Coordinates of all heavy atoms in Angstrom, one line a residue:
Y163 N 9.5 -14.7 -20.0 CA 10.3 -15.4 -21.1 C 9.3 -15.6 -22.2 O 8.1 -15.7 -22.1 CB 10.8 -16.7 -20.6 CG 11.8 -16.6 -19.4 CD1 11.4 -17.0 -18.1 CD2 13.1 -16.1 -19.6 CE1 12.2 -16.9 -17.0 CE2 13.9 -16.0 -18.5 CZ 13.5 -16.4 -17.2 OH 14.4 -16.2 -16.2
L164 N 9.9 -15.8 -23.4 CA 9.1 -16.1 -24.6 C 8.6 -17.5 -24.6 O 7.5 -17.8 -25.1 CB 10.0 -16.0 -25.9 CG 10.5 -14.6 -26.2 CD1 11.6 -14.6 -27.3 CD2 9.3 -13.7 -26.7
I199 N 13.1 -7.5 -28.1 CA 11.7 -8.0 -28.2 C 10.9 -7.3 -27.2 O 11.3 -7.3 -26.0 CB 11.7 -9.5 -28.1 CG1 12.6 -10.2 -29.2 CG2 10.2 -10.0 -28.2 CD1 12.8 -11.6 -28.9
G200 N 9.8 -6.6 -27.6 CA 8.9 -6.0 -26.6 C 8.5 -4.6 -27.2 O 9.1 -4.1 -28.1
G201 N 7.5 -4.1 -26.6 CA 7.0 -2.8 -27.1 C 6.7 -1.8 -26.0 O 6.1 -0.8 -26.2
G202 N 7.2 -2.1 -24.8 CA 7.0 -1.2 -23.6 C 8.2 -0.3 -23.4 O 9.1 -0.2 -24.3
D203 N 8.1 0.4 -22.3 CA 9.2 1.4 -22.0 C 10.6 0.7 -21.9 O 11.6 1.3 -22.2 CB 8.9 2.2 -20.7 CG 7.7 3.2 -21.0 OD1 7.9 4.0 -21.9 OD2 6.7 3.1 -20.3
A204 N 10.6 -0.5 -21.3 CA 11.8 -1.2 -21.1 C 12.5 -1.5 -22.5 O 13.7 -1.4 -22.7 CB 11.6 -2.5 -20.3
A205 N 11.6 -1.9 -23.5 CA 12.1 -2.2 -24.8 C 12.7 -0.9 -25.5 O 13.8 -1.0 -26.1 CB 11.0 -2.8 -25.7
Q207 N 14.0 1.6 -23.8 CA 15.2 1.9 -23.1 C 16.4 1.0 -23.5 O 17.5 1.4 -23.7 CB 14.9 1.7 -21.6 CG 15.7 2.5 -20.7 CD 15.2 2.4 -19.3 OE1 15.0 1.3 -18.7 NE2 14.9 3.5 -18.6
R224 N 5.1 -7.2 -31.0 CA 4.1 -8.2 -31.4 C 2.8 -7.6 -31.9 O 2.1 -8.3 -32.6 CB 3.9 -9.2 -30.3 CG 3.2 -8.8 -29.1 CD 2.9 -9.9 -28.2 NE 2.4 -9.4 -26.9 CZ 2.1 -10.2 -25.9 NH1 2.4 -11.4 -25.9 NH2 1.6 -9.6 -24.8
K225 N 2.5 -6.4 -31.5 CA 1.2 -5.8 -31.9 C 1.6 -4.7 -33.0 O 2.7 -4.6 -33.4 CB 0.5 -5.1 -30.8 CG -0.1 -6.1 -29.8 CD -1.0 -5.4 -28.8 CE -1.6 -6.4 -27.8 NZ -1.6 -5.8 -26.4
A227 N 1.3 -1.6 -32.5 CA 1.6 -0.3 -31.8 C 2.4 -0.6 -30.6 O 2.4 -1.7 -30.0 CB 0.3 0.4 -31.4
R229 N 3.4 -0.1 -26.6 CA 2.8 0.1 -25.3 C 3.5 1.2 -24.5 O 2.9 1.7 -23.5 CB 2.8 -1.2 -24.5 CG 2.0 -1.1 -23.2 CD 2.3 -2.2 -22.3 NE 1.7 -3.5 -22.7 CZ 1.3 -4.4 -21.9 NH1 1.6 -4.3 -20.6 NH2 0.8 -5.6 -22.4
K231 N 4.9 4.2 -22.7 CA 4.2 5.5 -22.3 C 5.0 6.7 -22.5 O 4.5 7.8 -22.7 CB 3.8 5.4 -20.8 CG 2.9 4.2 -20.5 CD 2.4 4.3 -19.1 CE 3.3 3.5 -18.1 NZ 3.2 2.2 -17.9
D232 N 6.4 6.5 -22.5 CA 7.2 7.7 -22.7 C 7.4 7.9 -24.2 O 8.4 7.4 -24.8 CB 8.6 7.4 -22.0 CG 9.5 8.6 -21.9 OD1 9.2 9.6 -22.7 OD2 10.4 8.6 -21.1
V251 N 5.0 -8.8 -35.1 CA 6.0 -9.9 -35.2 C 6.1 -10.7 -33.9 O 6.3 -10.2 -32.9 CB 7.4 -9.3 -35.6 CG1 8.5 -10.4 -35.3 CG2 7.4 -8.9 -37.0
D252 N 5.9 -12.1 -34.1 CA 6.1 -13.0 -33.0 C 7.4 -13.7 -33.2 O 7.7 -14.1 -34.4 CB 5.0 -14.0 -32.9 CG 3.7 -13.4 -32.5 OD1 3.7 -12.5 -31.6 OD2 2.7 -13.7 -33.2
A287 N 12.7 -7.8 -23.6 CA 12.2 -6.7 -22.8 C 10.7 -6.8 -22.7 O 9.9 -5.9 -23.2 CB 12.6 -5.4 -23.4
I288 N 10.2 -8.0 -22.3 CA 8.8 -8.3 -22.3 C 8.2 -8.3 -20.9 O 7.2 -9.0 -20.7 CB 8.5 -9.6 -23.1 CG1 9.3 -10.8 -22.5 CG2 8.9 -9.5 -24.6 CD1 8.9 -12.1 -23.1
G289 N 8.7 -7.5 -20.0 CA 8.2 -7.4 -18.7 C 8.7 -8.4 -17.7 O 9.5 -9.3 -18.1
A290 N 8.4 -8.2 -16.5 CA 8.9 -9.0 -15.4 C 7.8 -9.1 -14.3 O 6.9 -8.2 -14.3 CB 10.1 -8.4 -14.8
H306 N 1.6 -3.1 -10.6 CA 2.3 -4.1 -11.2 C 2.8 -5.2 -10.3 O 3.5 -6.1 -10.6 CB 3.5 -3.6 -12.0 CG 3.2 -2.5 -13.0 ND1 2.5 -2.9 -14.1 CD2 3.4 -1.2 -13.0 CE1 2.2 -1.8 -14.9 NE2 2.8 -0.7 -14.2
S331 N 10.7 -1.5 -10.3 CA 10.0 -1.9 -11.6 C 10.9 -1.4 -12.8 O 10.7 -1.9 -13.9 CB 8.7 -1.2 -11.6 OG 8.8 0.2 -11.6
G332 N 11.8 -0.5 -12.5 CA 12.6 0.0 -13.7 C 14.0 -0.6 -13.7 O 14.2 -1.8 -13.7
Ligands
NDP1 P1 5.5 -3.7 -20.1 O1 4.6 -4.7 -19.4 O2 5.1 -2.3 -20.1 O3 5.7 -4.1 -21.6 C1 5.9 -5.4 -22.0 C2 6.0 -5.4 -23.5 O4 6.4 -6.7 -23.9 C3 4.7 -5.1 -24.2 O5 4.9 -4.4 -25.3 C4 4.2 -6.5 -24.5 O6 3.4 -6.6 -25.6 C5 5.5 -7.2 -24.8 N1 5.4 -8.7 -24.6 C6 5.0 -9.4 -23.5 N2 5.1 -10.7 -23.8 C7 5.6 -10.8 -25.0 C8 5.9 -11.9 -25.8 N3 5.7 -13.2 -25.4 N4 6.4 -11.7 -27.1 C9 6.5 -10.5 -27.5 N5 6.2 -9.4 -26.8 C10 5.8 -9.5 -25.6 O7 6.9 -4.0 -19.4 P2 8.2 -3.1 -19.3 O8 9.2 -3.9 -18.7 O9 8.5 -2.4 -20.6 O10 7.8 -1.9 -18.3 C11 7.3 -2.3 -16.9 C12 6.8 -1.0 -16.2 O11 8.0 -0.2 -15.9 C13 5.9 -0.2 -17.1 O12 5.0 0.5 -16.3 C14 6.9 0.8 -17.7 O13 6.2 2.0 -18.1 C15 7.9 1.0 -16.6 N6 9.1 1.4 -17.2 C16 9.4 2.8 -17.3 C17 10.5 3.2 -17.9 C18 10.7 4.7 -18.0 O14 9.8 5.4 -17.6 N7 11.7 5.1 -18.6 C19 11.6 2.3 -18.3 C20 11.2 0.9 -18.1 C21 10.1 0.5 -17.6 P3 1.9 -6.1 -25.7 O15 1.9 -4.6 -25.6 O16 1.4 -6.7 -27.0 O17 1.2 -6.7 -24.5

Side-chain angles (χ1 to χ4, degrees):
Y163 300 106
L164 294 168
I199 303 166
D203 288 303
Q207 212 170 49
R224 70 176 173 184
K225 288 190 182 142
R229 186 195 284 207
K231 298 185 272 279
D232 189 341
V251 164
D252 294 314
I288 57 173
H306 301 293
S331 62

